[in-house]
């Protein structure tokens, strides 16, 4: 890597940000990166020195085997050390850092009139209270606790309470169905489940406890009776100020199993000695979808995850004490685990914890919240950006966004059009956009710009974070040098990488290490340009082979969304007699654009122009909506079946709106 030449299409860090930044220029990034690669032990030991260790490490910061041909794959960080993550992210700040009165979270409910401030000392006392409740319910070190909660403060209390007593939390996104919840409880064999009676999502009231009861009934039918206690939070939006219920939900109740959170907490002491954990004890399990359809229980451990989320948060968002950070993800996903709960708290940061949706009660809700809390660092997903782009500039102009300093993007490749809109309209051309590439499995950012150091190219996740060594391989596992396109892999671990799949070491090795021994395989394709910038081209499993050429669906999508009439596009492969595979494109149009033959022609020409004749779509279909999970991920598997006119659709339980599927089948013939 060298300092990139000045180029027209690059965006350089603003001077005022550089002056105070942790990493002030690209040369400093290169120096630190070099140290992290050449002397990882010294690099990570310095980071570890910021934390409290009940017992220091006896081993090196990282000991590992990535090469399956030499035996089982493992990663160990700071072996021999004993610590507690909860102590490090709370007690350390309250007792030694004098941060007790600092706000840890501004909680903003679904409805703007619901909000609360939670200081570090309040957080600590609630966490200890919950930890004591868990102990009373019989939870011990190593036990699993499933958490199925909306974005209420109790979600953070529960996670940290687990960390405090040494239990392993398994947070299940509260938009998941009872079937998905059951599957995750059964795999984890959790003994306690923490949930809420209900929640409003926009205007819709959801009976969470009903879903929980259905899930637990399913578990029992399948022979899993691990859950013996269910702790139920009374959602404040479902209560009047006096605590009386103000909704029409029936909350099913099993007196031998269920207890109300507030009653259990009432007499629970607010002090609790942390359980001192080995550095490699598991901290949590988080399920992520697998290509086989069965969710994979990704396991993260105590010391490495703490170090890595701490450091990535500090550098990637260039965190400083006066900042207000807002990550819009749900804690049910890894983004929320790492950058709402652990990373910000490890840094003693102030965050916004937002329960609602971007368009309720109006489409300017995000901008209103940024103004309200003077958010300085804002982290969201391209899908949200594209959604909000549809409404134009007007909703933003009503609010003061001058507090913003750094913008972040995560979860999928961000198309240059969305990147530029984010940069110029949201960030008023003042804020760098950090496009952070990472995965549930990586624990934290692995390819990412640093906002005051990295010249940006819209759509590129730029360079590796400290300690991360990427490589690009071809189909035969050969490492490609210089400008190249192929499989994105990593040749060594960093502290935050996953350790195994829960009860499935074999699946772990097969999924990530079998294809190219010696490397962690991300499953993503990438391109490295002549300046060494990495561009994620999408999942390899979304790669298409058209007439013997590898094509990335996200690349075609990027071209389609450059058309001013297109809001969103999803491209899948469809069998073709001559070419092997061809492209079937689903396009969602902006409000006043009509789907006409002329438009189809324009889009085909655009793709031809942007990528080349090989990428010319054979089919372009109008898609008033796309089949998405509740977290906004497009279910390409379903689109592939629609493109093929095949109704063997498999499990549709994760779809936010199943009606979309029929609609797309009906409109398919017009493609
Ligand atoms: O394909 C990549 C995409 O999201 C995948 C990981 O998904 P998940 O484990 O759910 O974690 C999402 C949040 C970290 C990756 O394999 N992805 C994530 N971030 C980016 C991305 N693709 C392109 N650019 C990104 N910045």
């Amino acid at each position: 890597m060298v300092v990139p030449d000045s180029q027209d299409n690059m965006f350089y860090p603003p001077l005022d940000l550089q002056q105070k930044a942790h990493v002030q220029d690209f040369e400093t990034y290169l120096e630190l990166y070099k140290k992290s690669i050449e002397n990882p032990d010294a690099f990570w030991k310095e980071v570890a020195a910021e934390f409290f260790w009940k017992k220091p490490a006896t081993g090196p910061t990282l000991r590992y085997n990535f090469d399956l041909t030499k035996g089982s794959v493992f990663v160990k960080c700071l072996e021999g050390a004993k610590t507690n993550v909860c102590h490090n992210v709370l007690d350390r700040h309250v007792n030694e850092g004098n941060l007790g009165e600092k706000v840890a979270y501004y909680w903003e409910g679904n409805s703007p009139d619901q909000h609360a401030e939670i200081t570090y000392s309040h957080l600590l006392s609630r966490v200890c209270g919950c930890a004591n409740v868990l102990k009373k319910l019989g939870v011990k070190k190593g036990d699993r606790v499933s958490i199925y909660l909306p974005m209420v403060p109790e979600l953070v209390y529960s996670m940290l309470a687990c960390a405090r007593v040494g239990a392993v939390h398994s947070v299940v996104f509260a938009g998941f169905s009872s079937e998905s919840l059951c599957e995750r409880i059964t795999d984890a064999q959790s003994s306690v489940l923490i949930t809420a009676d209900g929640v409003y999502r926009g205007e819709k009231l959801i009976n969470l406890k009903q879903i929980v009861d259905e899930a637990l009934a399913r578990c029992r039918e399948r022979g899993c009776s691990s859950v013996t206690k269910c702790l139920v939070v009374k959602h404040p939006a479902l209560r009047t100020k006096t605590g009386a219920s103000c909704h029409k939900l029936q909350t099913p109740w099993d007196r031998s199993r269920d207890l109300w959170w507030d009653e259990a907490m009432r007499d629970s002491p607010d002090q609790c000695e942390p359980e001192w954990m080995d550095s490699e004890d598991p901290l949590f399990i988080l399920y992520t979808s697998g290509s086989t359809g069965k969710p994979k229980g990704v396991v993260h451990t105590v010391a490495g995850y703490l170090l890595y989320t701490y450091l990535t948060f500090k550098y990637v968002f260039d965190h400083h004490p006066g900042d207000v950070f807002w990550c819009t993800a749900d804690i049910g996903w890894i983004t929320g685990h790492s950058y709402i709960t652990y990373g910000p708290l490890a840094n003693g940061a102030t965050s916004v914890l937002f329960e609602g949706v971007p368009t309720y009660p109006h489409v300017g809700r995000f901008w209103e919240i940024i103004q309200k809390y003077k958010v300085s660092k804002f982290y969201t997903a391209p899908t949200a950006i594209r959604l909000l782009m549809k409404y134009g500039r007007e909703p933003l102009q009503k609010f003061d966004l001058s507090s913003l300093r750094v913008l972040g993007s995560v979860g999928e490749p961000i198309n240059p059009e969305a990147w530029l809109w984010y940069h110029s309209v949201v960030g008023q051309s003042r804020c760098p956009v950090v496009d952070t590439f990472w995965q549930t499995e990586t624990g934290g950012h692995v390819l990412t710009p640093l906002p005051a150091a990295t010249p940006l190219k819209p759509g590129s996740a730029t360079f590796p974070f400290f300690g991360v060594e990427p490589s690009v391989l071809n189909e035969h596992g050969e490492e490609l040098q210089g400008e190249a396109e192929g499989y994105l892999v990593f040749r060594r671990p960093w502290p935050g990488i996953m350790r195994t799949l829960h009860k499935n070491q074999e699946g772990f090795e097969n999924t990530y290490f079998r294809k190219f021994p010696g490397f962690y395989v991300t499953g993503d394709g990438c391109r490295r340009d002549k300046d060494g910038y990495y561009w994620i081209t999408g999942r390899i499993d979304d790669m298409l082979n058209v007439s013997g050429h590898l094509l990335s669906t996200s690349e075609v999508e990027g071209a389609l969304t450059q058309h001013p009439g297109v809001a969103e596009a999803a491209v899948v492969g469809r069998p073709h007699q001559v070419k092997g595979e061809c492209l079937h494109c689903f396009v969602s149009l902006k409000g006043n654009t009509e789907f006409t033959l002329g438009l189809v022609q324009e889009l085909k020409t655009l793709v031809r122009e942007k990528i080349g004749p090989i990428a010319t779509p054979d089919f372009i279909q109008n898609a008033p909506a796309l089949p998405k999970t509740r977290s906004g991920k497009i279910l390409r598997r379903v689109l592939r079946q629609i493109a093929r006119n095949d109704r063997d659709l498999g499990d549709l339980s994760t779809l936010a709106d199943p009606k979309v599927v029929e609609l797309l089948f009906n409109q398919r013939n017009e493609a």
Side-chain angles (χ1 to χ4, degrees), residues 16 26 30 92 102 211 235 382 433 477 511 534 560 598 608 632:
D16 59 337
F26 200 72
L30 286 178
R92 190 170 60 92
K102 183 169 179 175
I211 300 172
H235 195 293
V433 174
T511 310
Y534 288 86
L560 291 167
R608 249 179 116 86

Side-chain angles (χ1 to χ4, degrees), residues 128-150:
C128 287
C130 180
N132 285 320
V133 170
L134 291 179
K135 280 184 166 178
K136 211 165 156 188
L137 298 181
V139 174
K140 291 184 297 299
K141 179 179 168 179
D143 289 352
R144 273 82 53 217
V145 172
S146 288
I147 305 175
Y148 185 71
L149 279 172

Side-chain angles (χ1 to χ4, degrees), residues 286-289 296 298 329 333-336 338-339 379 382 409-414 434-445 447-449 459-461 488 512 520 522-525 535-542 554 631 633:
L286 183 58
Y287 288 87
T288 181
S289 41
K296 302 177 289 192
V298 171
W333 310 112
I334 191 68
T335 306
S338 298
Y339 301 111
Y379 193 31
S409 168
V410 58
E412 50 180 315
I414 178 164
V434 288
D435 175 2
T436 60
F437 167 82
W438 58 297
Q439 308 176 301
T440 305
E441 293 87 339
T442 70
H445 310 135
L447 297 179
T448 177
S460 167
L488 173 66
Y512 305 102
Y520 166 83
T522 59
D524 284 288
W535 301 74
I536 304 300
T537 51
R539 300 291 302 184
I540 295 285
D541 30 23
D542 288 332
S554 66
S631 67
K633 274 224 153 92

Side-chain angles (χ1 to χ4, degrees), residues 443-463:
H445 310 135
V446 281
L447 297 179
T448 177
L450 300 185
T454 314
L456 304 170
K457 296 190 187 187
S460 167
T462 74
F463 297 105

